[in-house]
Amino acid sequence: MSQTNQHYVPQFHFRNFSKDGKQICALLRENGKIIPSAPFRHQCARKNFYGSQELETAFSGLEGQHATAIRAALKFASDGGSAPINVENLFRLFQAIMFQRGRTALEIQKSTDAKCKMQLAAFRHFIAHGEHENQDKILQAIDEGNVVVSENPQANVVESIGIFLPMTLGITGLHLCFLRNETEYPYLFSDAPVVFYNTWAWDVCNRGVLGVQCPKLRIFYPLSPTVTAMLIDADRYDGPWSENVVLDVHHRADVSQLNALQIHHAMSTIYFADSADASYVHDLWSAHRFRLAKLQSIYTDKSEYWIDGKPPEGDLMHMFEPQVNHPLSLSFVNC
């Protein structure tokens, strides 16, 4: 556990990518600067991120369980799937994926602005359709941009975790495959390492396609420089992964494609194990730097969707997360 007012840093995951168990190499997404020796304790740390020492303790205990599951997964992948992962560790691995998705500063950044816009729109609707003192003045103030809605950051991250953790069961129906890296390029991970992706719905830009029940969802979570966990809709894609729980990846292009996802989904930092790979990591960042975009959920009340076959009465408020700006292409997945 870190010092008071500094949130718990999941050092176990950093150790999986570290040569000495204390430091890691980092690339800053904004400018491509390489930091060859970044101490674990300074990574992902934000004062009062969760809001209370009790939550810090609870989450660090939960991540301890997840660390056990990830160790079992790494052993399973290194052994080529010869000894199965027990049911408890398998569930904890799925849970770790959803917890890691919900707990990051990026997840909070992505959703906060859209959520506040939706809440303000709902408040305006409440004022407009009720009998309130100074109703016209309140509506005018809202329309002129003089009223804003804001959320407590600590409440926001706890809410995010509370949304994602119960969805763990929703991803257990996806096929789990460990992508074992057999190239000289390492897997990277970012400060938001769990990436949701949907190739099938790549062209859909006016609604969300990354929900856990959405057809053709894929989830990627790097566990070490040599192993990435992939969850994939087995009914919608095919390829050599479909007959394997551990798939050897021999093409450097596939590794770079997966690493590009990490760069595009990062908030500020991409991590890697060995400073000898700094040139590769920087070159990959350079190749994608002009396509990098701020990840931001979208709110709209202009949706033309119907509900139960009928147009809605009034505005239909809709908030969704767009996909990362990277057209993923992997040699072992057919879409």
Side-chain angles (χ1 to χ4, degrees):
M1 176 66 65
S2 54
Q3 296 179 355
T4 304
N5 293 332
Q6 288 288 336
H7 86 82
Y8 173 76
V9 178
Q11 294 193 14
F12 170 79
H13 199 69
F14 284 97
R15 289 192 191 101
N16 290 340
F17 287 82
S18 171
K19 297 189 72 175
D20 64 3
K22 298 178 182 178
Q23 301 178 107
I24 196 164
C25 303
L27 177 140
L28 302 184
R29 184 179 187 261
E30 181 180 14
N31 55 22
K33 179 182 177 181
I34 297 286
I35 302 173
S37 301
F40 293 166
R41 65 181 182 276
H42 294 157
Q43 307 311 308
C44 307
R46 294 202 173 189
K47 289 185 178 180
N48 251 349
F49 190 65
Y50 296 122
S52 76
Q53 195 67 37
E54 290 77 16
L55 283 174
E56 295 276 343
T57 302
F59 290 154
S60 64
L62 184 61
E63 288 183 324
Q65 298 174 0
H66 296 163
T68 299
I70 290 172
R71 273 193 291 265
L74 289 172
K75 185 177 186 306
F76 175 84
S78 66
D79 293 343
S82 58
I85 306 174
N86 67 44
V87 174
E88 181 178 357
N89 280 335
L90 188 59
F91 178 78
R92 291 297 185 189
L93 178 62
F94 284 114
Q95 189 182 66
I97 289 170
M98 297 306 285
F99 180 75
Q100 183 60 50
R101 174 74 174 186
R103 69 175 290 275
T104 64
L106 176 66
E107 196 62 37
I108 309 311
Q109 173 188 279
K110 281 191 292 188
S111 62
T112 296
D113 185 59
K115 283 172 58 180
C116 290
K117 287 180 180 178
M118 178 177 283
Q119 290 164 0
L120 181 60
F123 176 65
R124 189 193 188 287
H125 184 85
F126 170 74
I127 295 296
H129 292 81
E131 296 181 3
H132 304 281
E133 186 178 354
N134 298 320
Q135 182 182 49
D136 292 338
K137 290 183 178 180
I138 296 172
L139 292 175
Q140 181 180 356
I142 293 173
D143 294 339
E144 291 177 351
N146 296 323
V147 177
V148 296
V149 173
S150 61
E151 288 194 328
N152 179 286
Q154 287 80 20
N156 217 337
V157 69
V158 173
E159 179 186 13
S160 177
I161 293 171
I163 290 171
F164 278 96
L165 269 184
M167 291 196 293
T168 298
L169 285 176
I171 65 170
T172 56
L174 298 174
H175 177 85
L176 173 62
C177 182
F178 295 101
L179 307 177
R180 190 164 58 179
N181 186 354
E182 297 292 339
T183 78
E184 65 270 33
Y185 289 174
Y187 286 136
L188 318 177
F189 79 104
S190 78
D191 49 17
V194 176
V195 183
F196 285 20
Y197 196 90
N198 194 323
T199 302
W200 174 66
W202 172 253
D203 293 329
V204 178
C205 301
N206 60 348
R207 66 177 178 89
V209 295
L210 300 178
V212 297
Q213 298 297 317
C214 191
K216 295 207 174 180
L217 178 68
R218 282 189 280 173
I219 301 174
F220 299 94
Y221 183 30
L223 303 180
S224 77
T226 57
V227 178
T228 284
M230 176 181 73
L231 277 64
I232 185 168
D233 185 347
D235 294 330
R236 308 283 178 161
Y237 298 95
D238 58 34
W241 59 267
S242 60
E243 298 179 359
N244 297 274
V245 183
V246 178
L247 179 70
D248 288 336
V249 178
H250 295 284
H251 299 298
R252 291 179 296 180
D254 288 328
V255 174
S256 290
Q257 282 282 306
L258 293 171
N259 288 338
L261 278 185
Q262 294 296 311
I263 294 174
H264 281 273
H265 196 252
M267 180 175 180
S268 61
T269 314
I270 297 92
Y271 300 104
F272 56 104
D274 194 335
S275 59
D277 295 313
S279 293
Y280 161 70
V281 177
H282 190 272
D283 288 347
L284 185 65
W285 170 83
S286 294
H288 288 266
R289 60 182 298 190
F290 296 111
R291 290 179 61 91
L292 297 179
K294 183 179 180 180
L295 295 172
Q296 198 77 46
S297 292
I298 295 170
Y299 163 73
T300 177
D301 58 5
K302 307 301 181 184
S303 173
E304 298 179 355
Y305 290 113
W306 288 16
I307 299 175
D308 294 331
K310 299 177 182 179
E313 296 181 6
D315 296 334
L316 177 61
M317 294 187 290
H318 182 43
M319 187 180 92
F320 64 95
E321 177 186 347
Q323 299 208 64
V324 296
N325 190 31
H326 173 56
L328 181 67
S329 177
L330 298 171
S331 67
F332 50 84
V333 178
N334 301 320
C335 177

